[in-house]
Amino acid sequence: MKARRPDVLVIGAEPALANDTALSLERGEITAIGPTETIADGLRTSQPGDLTFPIVSELLDGLVLVEEQEIIEAMRDIAVRTKQLVEPSGAVAAAAIMSGKAGTADQTIIAVISGGNVDLPRFAALLNAPENE
């Protein structure tokens, strides 16, 4: 996107419980974190990759952190509105937008939503869990 439209803002999102990229960007170097319990298991990395971190550092205009409940709410909203199952990691970008952390109502915003690799009983349990668990 940046190659075609350098004026477009690219905002990254990651779970607050798995903030290795946010810490690395803040420190200007790859920074490792300990094990995490985020529901976004596809984003449970201990640190950004050697190949991807320079790209992210150069091309991201910002990065926001989303809470676990915001991820669940995004998964629920996507399921209700679009009838699509989205795994927690795939819902993080939508959670950033839906929570108001990325973009404003007067902007055109695009989120990459991916992954239906979620165990159905786990998906149902997450969507039916009381808030602020």
Side-chain angles (χ1 to χ4, degrees):
M1 182 57 82
K2 280 290 198 185
R4 290 180 181 255
R5 294 277 313 270
D7 59 314
V8 170
L9 294 177
V10 177
I11 308 297
E14 72 180 341
L17 292 180
N19 63 342
D20 57 307
T21 300
L23 289 174
S24 297
L25 290 171
E26 183 179 303
R27 296 178 181 168
E29 63 185 14
I30 293 176
T31 303
I33 61 170
T36 179
E37 293 299 320
T38 179
I39 60 170
D41 58 345
L43 298 173
R44 285 185 194 155
T45 56
S46 61
Q47 67 184 47
D50 292 333
L51 296 175
T52 56
F53 183 66
I55 296 167
V56 168
S57 298
E58 179 184 340
L59 298 179
L60 276 188
D61 294 299
L63 185 131
V64 297
L65 300 176
V66 295
E67 302 300 328
E68 301 297 289
Q69 190 61 38
E70 292 169 331
I71 298 168
I72 293 168
E73 289 169 13
M75 292 171 60
R76 183 181 297 120
D77 198 41
I78 292 166
V80 168
R81 290 177 184 235
T82 71
K83 310 300 184 239
Q84 295 181 52
L85 301 181
V86 178
E87 66 187 70
S89 298
V92 169
I97 293 168
M98 292 174 179
S99 67
K101 294 178 178 179
T104 62
D106 64 332
Q107 295 175 305
T108 300
I109 304 169
I110 299 170
V112 176
I113 300 172
S114 63
N117 186 19
V118 61
D119 177 70
L120 289 179
R122 174 79 172 132
F123 184 82
L126 286 171
L127 296 190
N128 292 315
E131 287 191 25
N132 301 320
E133 251 191 16

